Amino acid sequence: MKILVMAGLAGIISLLSAAACAQNTNLRGTVTAFDGKVISVKVLDGRDLKVELPDNAPVNITKPLKLSDLKMGQTVGVTTIKRPADGATVAIDVRPISATANQGLTPYDLQPGSTMTNAVIEGSVQGASGHELTLNYKTGTVKVLVPEGTPMSQSAPGERSDIKTGETIYIAARPESDGRLTAIRVQVSKDGVKPTQ
């Protein structure tokens, strides 16, 4: 019986370890090389990483976005932080996302303490200290202040040839069990417009 219990525990630990390894990671940095299969990138913390780019991984370029481009009922991804002075929810990144994306409010890693809200724009008003968006993420709503100058961008279909040395890049990557990193999707700067996520 004890052997069976130990074997069961070992199996659970193995599954948990595999799940931890499979958790996706967000990489942000500058392309240092690309050979058509592997992206070399210097990430923001100074590390030099290599990320494999599968043939089926989508590559997007980045285009500019203005607040006036957003429409009521549009699905957006808005990264926010709580402003220490008054606890207001303030946007630090705004971008359109697919209408089929999972909606919700979850912790995010763009800045310490930041949160990602994938939601539909339900309201939009101009206030004294910026624009305020009301976001509905199905299980709740949140009012988000968007100050002047908040980073915004939108993605558009790109090509692997858009991944060039010196471009700014965002990579959603999957760590493999052998330590390799595999890109799930990539967004790269274009004409000086950088990914904001």
Side-chain angles (χ1 to χ4, degrees):
M1 176 65 74
K2 185 177 292 185
I3 292 173
L4 288 174
V5 170
M6 293 300 290
L9 286 173
I12 291 171
I13 291 170
S14 177
L15 285 173
L16 290 174
S17 297
C21 286
Q23 187 173 4
N24 296 342
T25 185
N26 296 316
L27 304 174
R28 304 172 180 91
T30 303
V31 177
T32 56
F34 180 51
D35 63 4
K37 294 183 178 180
V38 176
I39 306 169
S40 299
V41 56
K42 180 174 282 295
V43 293
L44 295 181
D45 64 9
R47 290 176 297 157
D48 292 300
L49 300 178
K50 293 185 182 297
V51 184
E52 296 182 10
L53 183 65
D55 291 339
N56 62 348
V59 174
N60 290 323
I61 58 170
T62 309
K63 298 174 64 177
L65 175 74
K66 304 187 298 294
L67 197 60
S68 58
D69 295 327
L70 300 177
K71 309 301 179 186
M72 295 291 291
Q74 186 172 9
T75 307
V76 291
V78 181
T79 310
T80 63
I81 56 171
K82 290 290 187 181
R83 189 163 58 189
D86 57 7
T89 302
V90 180
I92 57 173
D93 169 42
V94 179
R95 53 200 163 78
I97 60 174
S98 169
T100 60
N102 292 331
Q103 295 185 23
L105 191 155
T106 55
Y108 198 52
D109 63 354
L110 186 57
Q111 285 188 18
S114 62
T115 299
M116 170 60 72
T117 305
N118 289 350
V120 171
I121 301 174
E122 191 174 72
S124 178
V125 296
Q126 181 64 48
S129 54
H131 211 91
E132 185 178 77
L133 297 177
T134 301
L135 304 177
N136 186 323
Y137 53 93
K138 290 190 175 180
T139 57
T141 60
V142 60
K143 292 185 183 297
V144 176
L145 180 65
V146 186
E148 187 74 26
T150 297
M152 299 183 189
S153 68
Q154 56 187 323
S155 64
E159 305 289 343
R160 296 169 84 92
S161 58
D162 291 312
I163 305 173
K164 302 172 183 175
T165 299
E167 297 287 359
T168 300
I169 196 166
Y170 164 83
I171 305 172
R174 180 180 64 247
E176 307 292 357
S177 58
D178 59 2
R180 294 178 299 111
L181 289 167
T182 301
I184 300 169
R185 62 185 179 90
V186 168
Q187 186 174 338
V188 66
S189 58
K190 182 75 171 180
D191 299 326
V193 183
K194 300 177 181 179
T196 56
Q197 62 184 322

